Amino acid sequence: MKTKMLVSETRGYKVSKVSDAKLIAENYLSNIDELSSEDVEFGLPEIDDRFHIWRVPVKTLGERIGEVVINAKVATIDEERTTKPKLLLTRQKNAKNKPKKTRSKTPDPVLSPLQNSIIKGDAREQLKNLPEQSVNLVFTSPPYYNAKPEYSEYSTYEEYLELMRQVIRESARCLSEGRFFVMNVSPVLLRRASRSESSKRIAVPFDMHRLFIEEGFEFVDDIHWVKPEGAGWSFGRGRRFAADRNPLQYKPVPITEYILVYRKKTKNLIDWNIRKHPDQAAVLESKVDDDYEKTNIWRINPSRSKVHPATFPLELAEKVIKYYSFQGDVVLDPFGGIGTTARAALNLRRRFVMCEISDKYVEHMKEYFASLKLPEASRIELVNTEETTSMNQAFDI
Ligand SMILES: C[S@@+](CC[C@H](N)C(=O)[O-])C[C@H]1O[C@@H](n2cnc3c(N)ncnc32)[C@H](O)[C@@H]1O
């Protein structure tokens, strides 16, 4: 039987074993004055064969303080890439001075009790009624800040951000340990009020980022949803430059939107979410096919709806749900619109919880899902609509 050769062997490296790499690193560190060698531990050395090097993580009291990088071909220290001795010393000192944390074990995840639900009302209030850690993914596209000044809903941008903060905070409470919040958001254009003023673009995604971080999320990815060229010309941006070609007036036509990906802060690795998932058969069933998006550029045509002016495409919702949840999981969309997230969730055998403030869109969702004639198992709870008797009944709380 053939045994597979190690990378270090096929490349003919002089340093071919983990134990050799550790020994070289140990030797190097013992020559740094003041670095306490009894407080040095090593993480797992890894080969980076693009640069023909070994990276040996250095830790003190479990905390990473840097790495020793070894030239794998000649077994010498790569001083350029190795953490500088002064930095190692400072970090070791900091690690030793840090108050000791008591490690509490996170309870294992459990299956959510929620059924498919449509909740009518303001997400700020309605999400408070969902049990803690009862949803497994949040995917949404928030209302635009003053897309049309004449119908302005928010008196200031700060007021708008405060609404977003509250929804992000409540979503964090409802979201289970270490799971994802994915938001489709883009800068908005405020049209000029008169010819003597200029139009303004507000970088909403960057303010949203600050809210996520402040509300206990970690940034994971920025995916760019790219629409076909021509998609943005109707807004008129860039026409002036196209005609006059004066520098400084250049304005590209925006044909992208952000899909921002955040993870609820946890000390557990993503691997923990996979291993501890209460339905391991669902984990297996949820493996993603070969034709997944390999980069953070997703080319998807925009959607059009006769009922709602700002839907996102079903294809976009399906990708997000496929990549960030398992079958049977509950997907929450706090700004549900006409239920694109819910349709994607059903197509992919996930459950959904939609919240939507507008009667019109809630009615549309109800009619649409009623027309599907779903089996009993996919029954939909209606909350705060004429058909619901009580909120408590719906969520069994
Ligand atoms: C950009 S749209 C979402 C469209 C949705 N992704 C779809 O494909 O149908 C935002 C939605 O949020 C709703 N909305 C605005 N403020 C809300 C609030 N405070 N609570 C719940 N929904 C709200 C709006 O009525 C609108 O339908």
Side-chain angles (χ1 to χ4, degrees):
M1 196 177 72
K2 264 196 190 163
T3 47
K4 219 177 152 195
M5 276 177 85
L6 298 171
V7 179
S8 55
E9 290 168 345
T10 52
R11 299 268 185 174
Y13 290 158
K14 191 160 176 192
V15 186
S16 59
K17 290 197 299 238
V18 163
S19 55
D20 294 344
K22 274 191 183 171
L23 213 63
I24 295 171
E26 206 174 334
N27 212 7
Y28 166 72
L29 294 179
S30 69
N31 290 320
I32 301 179
D33 288 343
E34 291 179 56
L35 191 76
S36 151
S37 49
E38 67 257 35
D39 289 319
V40 164
E41 309 142 28
F42 293 108
L44 186 67
E46 279 179 359
I47 288 187
D48 186 338
D49 64 347
R50 287 171 308 163
F51 304 114
H52 312 294
I53 53 176
W54 280 88
R55 294 181 186 278
V56 187
V58 185
K59 298 188 199 170
T60 283
L61 296 170
E63 191 166 315
R64 190 185 170 104
I65 61 169
E67 63 182 12
V68 175
V69 179
I70 302 163
N71 182 324
K73 288 180 168 172
V74 288
T76 54
I77 301 294
D78 182 335
E79 300 210 7
E80 273 296 302
R81 291 193 169 101
T82 296
T83 311
K84 302 286 169 282
K86 210 167 148 201
L87 197 54
L88 283 174
L89 283 171
T90 315
R91 287 184 181 158
Q92 184 177 67
K93 216 190 259 164
N94 290 347
K96 284 165 79 175
N97 288 340
K98 250 194 196 163
K100 280 207 174 78
K101 271 194 223 151
T102 42
R103 273 200 163 234
S104 56
K105 201 174 166 276
T106 330
D108 287 354
V110 292
L111 284 182
S112 167
L114 299 183
Q115 299 187 349
N116 291 327
S117 318
I118 298 173
I119 307 167
K120 187 163 88 184
D122 188 327
R124 279 173 288 196
E125 294 311 314
Q126 299 305 323
L127 297 192
K128 291 192 175 130
N129 297 314
L130 295 178
E132 247 176 62
Q133 303 214 30
S134 57
V135 308
N136 312 109
L137 167 67
V138 184
F139 177 46
T140 199
S141 144
Y144 294 146
Y145 168 65
N146 290 7
K148 293 190 175 132
E150 55 278 31
Y151 309 124
S152 167
E153 279 177 68
Y154 315 99
S155 50
T156 61
Y157 183 49
E158 280 61 42
E159 184 189 313
Y160 170 78
L161 287 180
E162 188 48 36
L163 155 70
M164 292 305 144
R165 181 189 290 285
Q166 288 177 35
V167 172
I168 293 172
R169 181 175 297 167
E170 278 312 312
S171 300
R173 191 189 58 77
C174 302
L175 198 56
S176 52
E177 177 91 15
R179 291 305 201 94
F180 291 77
F181 190 137
V182 182
M183 182 182 271
N184 163 219
V185 62
S186 50
V188 291
L189 187 66
L190 295 190
R191 293 207 205 110
R192 56 185 178 172
S194 69
R195 285 192 74 85
S196 61
E197 286 175 40
S198 57
S199 58
K200 253 197 198 158
R201 231 171 155 231
I202 302 186
V204 184
F206 306 123
D207 289 322
M208 226 45 116
H209 171 78
R210 182 170 48 85
L211 298 182
F212 274 108
I213 299 304
E214 287 171 2
E215 294 304 325
F217 285 90
E218 261 168 14
F219 173 68
V220 179
D221 265 311
D222 57 323
I223 294 166
H224 301 255
W225 163 23
V226 180
K227 301 169 202 176
E229 275 189 35
W233 281 96
S234 58
F235 294 108
R237 208 170 190 255
R239 280 197 197 146
R240 176 79 186 271
F241 180 79
D244 301 345
R245 305 298 171 95
N246 286 322
L248 313 192
Q249 275 179 337
Y250 171 69
K251 287 198 173 90
V253 178
I255 56 162
T256 61
E257 292 195 24
Y258 281 101
I259 309 296
L260 299 179
V261 183
Y262 293 87
R263 182 170 182 232
K264 182 172 163 175
K265 246 192 197 157
T266 170
K267 58 181 189 316
N268 296 310
L269 299 174
I270 290 173
D271 181 57
W272 176 88
N273 287 99
I274 300 168
R275 274 189 296 110
K276 297 284 183 181
H277 192 290
D279 183 352
Q280 284 298 313
V283 171
L284 278 181
E285 286 291 311
S286 311
K287 289 230 188 236
V288 176
D289 290 342
D290 288 345
D291 63 344
Y292 64 92
E293 295 287 353
K294 309 285 187 305
T295 74
N296 69 341
I297 303 279
W298 294 5
R299 292 179 199 282
I300 302 172
N301 287 342
S303 55
R304 245 180 250 281
S305 157
K306 283 188 191 129
V307 187
H308 195 297
T311 56
F312 48 48
L314 185 65
E315 189 185 345
L316 174 69
E318 288 188 342
K319 283 188 200 295
V320 169
I321 291 173
K322 234 189 268 177
Y323 302 156
Y324 297 107
S325 71
F326 298 98
Q327 286 189 14
D329 277 357
V330 174
V331 186
L332 165 69
D333 188 340
F335 301 112
I338 53 169
T340 311
T341 303
R343 281 170 55 202
L346 274 184
N347 289 350
L348 296 163
R349 299 176 178 210
R350 275 71 166 170
R351 290 172 277 168
F352 64 80
V353 174
M354 294 292 107
C355 182
E356 170 55 52
I357 204 163
S358 141
D359 287 357
K360 182 177 157 196
Y361 301 145
V362 168
E363 280 311 305
H364 181 84
M365 273 193 271
K366 272 166 50 184
E367 277 165 27
Y368 173 77
F369 289 111
S371 75
L372 292 184
K373 305 209 180 345
L374 295 168
E376 182 62 15
S378 306
R379 208 164 56 95
I380 296 172
E381 294 286 353
L382 298 169
V383 180
N384 291 344
T385 66
E386 279 145 30
E387 297 83 343
T388 337
T389 41
S390 97
M391 186 90 175
N392 290 358
Q393 220 177 332
F395 291 126
D396 196 26
I397 45 181

